[in-house]
Amino acid sequence: MSHPHPELGAPPALAPNAIRITPLGGLGEIGRNMTLLEYAGRLLIIDCGVLFPEDEQPGIDLILPDFSSIRERLDKVDGIVLTHGHEDHIGAVPYLLRENPDIPLIGSKLTLALIEAKLVEHRIRPYVLEVAEGQREQIGPFNCEFIAVNHSIPDALAVAVRTPAGMVVATGDFKMDQLPLDGRLTDLPAFARLAEEGIDLLLVDSTNAEVPGFIPHERDISAALRTVFSNANKRIIVASFASHVHRIQQVLDAAHEHKRKVAFVGRSMVRNMGIARDLGYLKVPANLIVDVKQLDDLPDREVVLVCTGSQGEPMAALSRMANRDHQIRIVEGDTVIMASSLIPGNETAIYRVINGLTRWGANVVHKGNAKVHVSGHASAGELLYFFNICKPKNLMPVHGEWRHLRACADLGIKTGVPKHRTVIAEDGVAVDLVDGVAKIVGKVQAGYVYVDGSSVGDITESSLKDRRILGEEGFISVFVVVDSSSGKIVSGPTIQARGSGIDDNAFGPVVQKLEEALRKSADNGVLEVRQVQQLVRRTIGKWVADNYRRRPMILPVVVEV
């Protein structure tokens, strides 16, 4: 089992008749999935998704893969293969196409419809190639075969990429539900056929590798939903991913059965469900859907709202309802169903929303107290079964945190994948498949790129550190005027604090210390503004730390006259 080393350098030039696989996101994290394949000077991208920010990334809207390693070679990209339509696999496409709108997009009908709707907002109209399971397409030097897989969104595909250097199979996100709502099974016979040909490297979804056994059937949720609907006397509010068509279908079926009307809340939810309905993936009974503006005319017991915010996203509809910052006000007796998984890292935000909803009297139903969610990712039992079918010569777990990647690798080794051909990599690590053996050869830059409003990539880790300090410790501003020739104080110092918990009147003792420090500095001939600022910062910082055990941001303003 190989793994990256912190001292890895840049990868060498790709050897003849070799294929390079470089994940630019999705390894060591849940989201931001993007994998780069390189052969004979040409590039193929598999997925291009986003990661949603956590609490320690204040003000950030989205996190993108780092395109810097391929920015100068975007004209060599023959296409972007999209395995399915979830945001963590398609959300960064508009940002990549901003840099080169001529890159073709390849995906299934629903996947392309979802990304094209997003691209309209960015005024980008790329070339698209619609594909379906069983189809093969030559994309530059990459011969791509598409295989049906079952996931929590319709039309998901795995892709087998054939080159003279070998076959690489990327599963995308998948599970092996044997009773799927749409009847579309993961095509195990197709994977068995690929195994007979020889899968040189398998990139496999590892998200649920730690979960024993098999994932329950999606259709099992229907009974739990019916129970919740039967016991609810007022409004029912369902929070789900805006692309979870299967889950929304079950909500619509339950609402129709209990004679309730359904309104979609939130732009992405309205857009995606409209697309799914128009393409026939969402079956909507006549007169079931109403506009949210019509809800006031209906009794509470006849209302179902479907919205976003199941992960506690601060600007999503459900979070705003919990904070009393939405036109829909939660009242005593409302039932809220959080019909999605709990993505690692989002726990605090989700529980904050649950507590906020409960405070206003809602009965909150979630995965922890009712069977209102099943995962869309294969668990350990399914992965063992899958490995025994695929018989990969080399294995590289993807789509997971470190613990998921390692658990997935261990499962592969148990089924007979040689340990030295099991690669645990991380974002940016280049893996070359040469003569049938996969090995790590180097590392490229693959850090976080932050989207903050209209700004893309301008926010750095240093900026985020400043935001965290401001949010947690506040700041202190110090204004002082000094004589440019002598360094003597002309006016001030004036000290003000915001968010630090220190009253402005408490700074009397430190003003004397600061005046003395500035006087000594001037006597020693230290007159340069930057040095004086540093002296002010150190003096104030030490006094605050000694007396209040706080470390606020200190902003010294030194004016020379």
Side-chain angles (χ1 to χ4, degrees), residues 72-269:
E72 302 303 319
R73 298 190 292 162
L74 290 178
D75 59 328
K76 308 292 186 187
V77 179
D78 289 310
I80 303 172
V81 173
L82 302 172
T83 60
H84 64 281
H86 281 152
E87 285 293 299
D88 59 336
H89 289 257
I90 68 170
V93 169
Y95 298 94
L96 182 56
L97 292 188
R98 279 187 191 179
E99 304 197 24
N100 184 350
D102 296 326
I103 302 174
L105 301 181
I106 302 100
S108 64
K109 180 188 290 186
L110 179 62
T111 302
L112 290 178
L114 293 175
I115 187 58
E116 284 181 284
K118 292 172 67 70
L119 289 171
V120 167
E121 300 176 8
H122 294 262
R123 298 180 180 178
I124 300 172
R125 296 178 64 87
Y127 171 78
V128 297
L129 174 62
E130 183 183 315
V131 295
E133 55 265 30
Q135 189 170 335
R136 285 179 70 159
E137 294 288 342
Q138 190 70 35
I139 304 169
F142 307 96
N143 184 271
C144 297
E145 179 179 351
F146 301 93
I147 304 108
V149 291
N150 178 247
H151 187 40
S152 55
I153 185 172
D155 254 7
L157 295 169
V159 58
V161 182
R162 294 176 175 87
T163 71
M167 184 200 299
V168 178
V169 174
T171 66
D173 288 351
F174 84 108
K175 61 178 177 177
M176 297 202 294
D177 191 339
Q178 298 303 296
L179 297 171
L181 287 176
D182 58 3
R184 189 172 178 272
L185 296 162
T186 292
D187 192 351
L188 298 180
F191 285 106
R193 174 175 50 77
L194 295 174
E196 289 298 318
E197 184 179 338
I199 298 174
D200 294 292
L201 176 61
L202 179 63
L203 310 179
V204 64
D205 176 14
S206 67
T207 305
N208 268 347
E210 287 187 315
V211 179
F214 287 70
I215 296 299
H217 307 303
E218 179 74 29
R219 64 178 64 236
D220 291 349
I221 293 173
S222 296
L225 287 175
R226 288 195 201 97
T227 299
V228 174
F229 273 66
S230 296
N231 294 332
N233 297 316
K234 288 192 175 181
R235 296 179 302 180
I236 297 175
I237 300 165
V238 181
S240 174
F241 291 120
S243 53
H244 202 332
V245 178
H246 292 323
R247 191 64 42 80
I248 304 304
Q249 182 67 67
Q250 294 183 89
V251 171
L252 297 184
D253 293 343
H256 182 62
E257 183 180 325
H258 289 83
K259 296 180 171 55
R260 288 176 177 259
K261 299 293 186 183
V262 177
F264 294 124
V265 180
R267 186 178 61 167
S268 59
M269 182 67 73

Side-chain angles (χ1 to χ4, degrees), residues 25-31 398-403 405 425-427 448:
L27 275 69
E29 60 199 359
I30 303 292
V398 294
H399 306 172
E401 297 179 339
W402 273 100
R403 57 196 174 98
L405 302 178
E426 63 182 347
D427 293 343
Y448 283 179

